[in-house]
Amino acid sequence: NNMKFIKLNESLYIPLLYVAILNFIINNPLSSPRFHYLGMTIGILLVFGYLLKPMYKTILAIASPFFLYFVFPWIKSLGQESKVATNDLLSYLTTGVDYDCMVQLINIYQYVNNGNYSFGSNIMGGIAFFVPRDIWLNKPIHLGALSSEYAGLLYTNLSAPWPGELYYILGYPSLILGAFLSGYAYAKIDFILMNSKNTISYGISVISTGFIFIVLRGAFGAVFPLIFLSISVFFSFMLLIQNGKKYRYI
């Protein structure tokens, strides 16, 4: 078995406790988007090896529908005055905004087929989110808002699934090429999780795994800033360790 799990030095218990408390304050359902809370939770479970064991993978697969249809909307209701009615599952699935991916794929398909190709600006806009619109006058709006506005919807804070983002670039050619590159990237991340002994590459793969779900749901331009923030905090943390003690590889 090539899987390696973290063995904590006793001197790290107190710093880890501080980090755990800070993480809960920042990344909880009341103060941050659910996908960020979910991404951090998955990352923590991966670091301690829980999601790498076959037994836990099986438990996660069996429990996923429960989390998707009950826990996920319940967490959303914590930050809202009006509680989400989870007792009427059919009504929530058909009228709620959390399960909009299929409808949005249709909206995106129609929007793009009307001649609205991005030629990659949707990806660049997400990556360069920190550039103010006063400087980048034509900075793109994320695809979820564009496609829902095109469909005449009043509520535009909707998803843009990753296949739709790829199709938006240049139609079927970008969809096929992007699917191949995405599959390769996910396989590489999985390989690093199972085999890497380098702290930095392992940490990036953990963060990437935690946020794969929301990248697949989209919109990329709307969710990438928080992903970038997490990676930046990780690099800053590694830099502080390097400037202090030597850090160990895992």
Side-chain angles (χ1 to χ4, degrees), residues 127-149:
I127 295 175
F129 67 91
F130 49 84
V131 179
R133 292 189 181 274
D134 290 340
I135 297 176
W136 188 356
L137 299 180
N138 294 322
K139 187 176 181 179
I141 299 173
H142 70 78
L143 181 57
L146 291 175
S147 57
S148 55
E149 286 179 359

Side-chain angles (χ1 to χ4, degrees), residues 97-112:
V97 299
D98 289 325
Y99 309 97
D100 60 347
C101 289
M102 293 303 296
V103 174
Q104 274 296 90
L105 281 174
I106 296 173
N107 292 338
I108 291 170
Y109 179 79
Q110 294 175 340
Y111 174 72
V112 174

